[in-house]
Amino acid sequence: VTGIEDTERKKVFEVYPNPVSLNEKLTIQVNGSGMSSIDLMDMTGRVVKQVYAGEVCFPFTKDIELSTLSRGLYFIRLSLDGKIMTSKVFVN
């Protein structure tokens, strides 16, 4: 089931490179249009950075600066027209 959910998520948004180094930028690509919010969360679910809030139009890309973060596991949460999806990101 996880593979199917991952495939469906990739149709809507992708996060790359993953894993990513602290000195690199993380890119989020949204393959849809509508009202959106994108958050970067730590392992506890705390929002460490609000990446974007507003309307997106296909294709939409956003780069995230990571230099202020600690190494570890993070999550990108995308809300697009009421649907919420997440993706793991490893920062090393």
Side-chain angles (χ1 to χ4, degrees):
V1 175
T2 303
I4 294 171
E5 291 172 356
D6 192 49
T7 301
E8 291 299 315
R9 179 197 48 81
K10 285 181 180 178
K11 289 180 183 176
V12 178
F13 84 111
E14 295 183 65
V15 178
Y16 54 89
N18 192 9
V20 62
S21 299
L22 286 172
N23 59 351
E24 293 181 293
K25 289 185 180 178
L26 183 69
T27 299
I28 300 171
Q29 179 175 328
V30 179
N31 301 317
S33 299
M35 291 306 294
S36 173
S37 67
I38 303 170
D39 297 310
L40 178 66
M41 304 181 311
D42 65 14
M43 287 180 37
T44 66
R46 181 178 63 91
V47 175
V48 294
K49 186 179 281 196
Q50 183 179 38
V51 177
Y52 184 81
E55 191 164 354
V56 297
C57 295
F58 173 77
F60 176 84
T61 58
K62 183 75 175 171
D63 291 332
I64 305 173
E65 177 66 43
L66 302 175
S67 61
T68 60
L69 299 178
S70 299
R71 290 176 169 84
L73 175 65
Y74 291 87
F75 297 91
I76 298 291
R77 178 178 61 196
L78 168 70
S79 173
L80 181 63
D81 282 342
K83 294 182 181 178
I84 298 173
M85 291 156 272
T86 59
S87 181
K88 292 179 188 177
V89 176
F90 296 96
V91 177
N92 53 29

